[in-house]
């Protein structure tokens, strides 16, 4: 149950687009359509922003989008805003019927 | 609206036990898988365990298997985590979360802090 691999940090200026990668294996990210992304502001409850690789829950801005290629999933935030500064985590269901999270990525808005 | 409220976090000595609770409201509790997820201070999220609505399906992370037990009461709309043989590395904020059929977590509680002193 090794954690999925994410960059520790990314940054961008307001209005820019940023992408966060999430690399796993054929036993997790590449196995099913069950990859999700969470936004976590410290001290608050994490929020689901992408589910089933590409879908946005109701109320989540269209600036957030998800994709996947083989064993790597990606989260793109288009037109980054100050309020997007947070930690972002990917997660995936696995072939062992467990769930694995990424190590998290801190987004800094410059 | 969906609400999840955890309780039971405390300071406990290594080797000790603790039971966490999560009170759920605003949805039909028995229809959903529920899960515990933790965040070690300064680190990322780690999935701990999940349980199906009818309790027939349960799974644990390797790091807690044999020490933690998840359970639920569908009458009281409550989720529990019995934690035994606690270790310093179990120190974390523990979140209760609702799990969808897509295996994502669409609602989370605010978390409860467990501190294990060595």
């Amino acid at each position: 149950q090794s954690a999925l691999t994410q960059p520790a940090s990314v940054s961008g200026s307001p209005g820019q687009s940023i992408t966060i990668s999430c690399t796993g294996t054929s036993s997790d990210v590449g196995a099913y359509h069950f990859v999700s992304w969470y936004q976590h502001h410290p001290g608050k409850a994490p929020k689901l922003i992408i589910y089933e690789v590409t879908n946005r829950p109701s109320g989540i801005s269209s600036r957030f989008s998800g994709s996947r290629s083989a064993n790597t999933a990606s989260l793109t935030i288009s037109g980054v805003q100050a309020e997007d500064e947070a930690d972002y985590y990917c997660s995936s269901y696995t072939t062992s019927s467990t769930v694995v999270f990424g190590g998290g990525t801190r987004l800094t808005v410059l | 609206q969906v609400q999840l409220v955890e309780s039971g976090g405390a300071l406990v000595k290594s080797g000790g036990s603790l039971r966490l609770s999560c009170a759920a409201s605003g949805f039909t509790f028995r229809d959903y898988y529920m899960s515990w997820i933790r965040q070690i201070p300064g680190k990322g999220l780690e999935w701990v365990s999940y349980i199906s609505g009818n309790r027939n399906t349960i799974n644990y992370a390797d790091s807690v298997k044999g020490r933690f037990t998840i359970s639920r009461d569908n009458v009281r709309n409550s989720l529990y985590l019995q934690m035994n043989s606690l270790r310093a590395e179990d120190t974390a904020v523990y979140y209760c979360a609702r799990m969808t059929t897509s295996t994502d977590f669409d609602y989370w509680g605010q978390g409860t802090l467990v501190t294990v002193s060595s």
Side-chain angles (χ1 to χ4, degrees), chain A residues 34-104:
Chain A
F34 298 143
V35 176
S36 50
W37 289 89
Y38 302 86
Q39 179 189 63
H40 190 201
H41 289 103
K44 291 191 152 188
K47 178 194 289 187
L48 176 67
I49 57 173
I50 295 289
Y51 68 98
E52 290 181 353
V53 179
T54 61
N55 296 324
R56 278 189 313 277
S58 174
I60 298 301
S61 170
S62 58
R63 297 185 298 102
F64 294 92
S65 62
S67 63
R68 180 182 60 182
S69 175
N71 299 331
T72 297
S74 298
L75 171 71
T76 297
I77 308 175
S78 305
V80 165
Q81 300 178 0
E83 70 226 39
D84 299 332
E85 187 162 288
D87 297 322
Y88 291 85
Y89 295 90
C90 61
S91 80
S92 174
Y93 190 63
T94 79
T95 55
S96 300
S97 301
T98 61
V99 177
V100 62
F101 280 92

Side-chain angles (χ1 to χ4, degrees), chain B residues 35-83:
Chain B
S35 189
W36 288 99
I37 296 156
R38 67 186 182 183
Q39 182 173 32
I40 294 168
K43 304 263 173 124
L45 299 172
E46 179 187 21
W47 169 76
V48 172
S49 180
Y50 65 69
I51 183 171
S52 62
N54 61 12
R55 307 186 203 86
N56 286 348
T57 301
I58 289 174
N59 214 336
Y60 298 95
D62 286 345
S63 57
V64 307
K65 200 173 290 185
R67 300 187 299 122
F68 290 11
T69 302
I70 193 171
S71 62
R72 63 190 295 159
D73 183 331
N74 288 342
V75 173
R76 289 188 167 86
N77 289 344
S78 292
L79 176 72
Y80 306 101
L81 186 68
Q82 177 66 42
M83 303 186 295

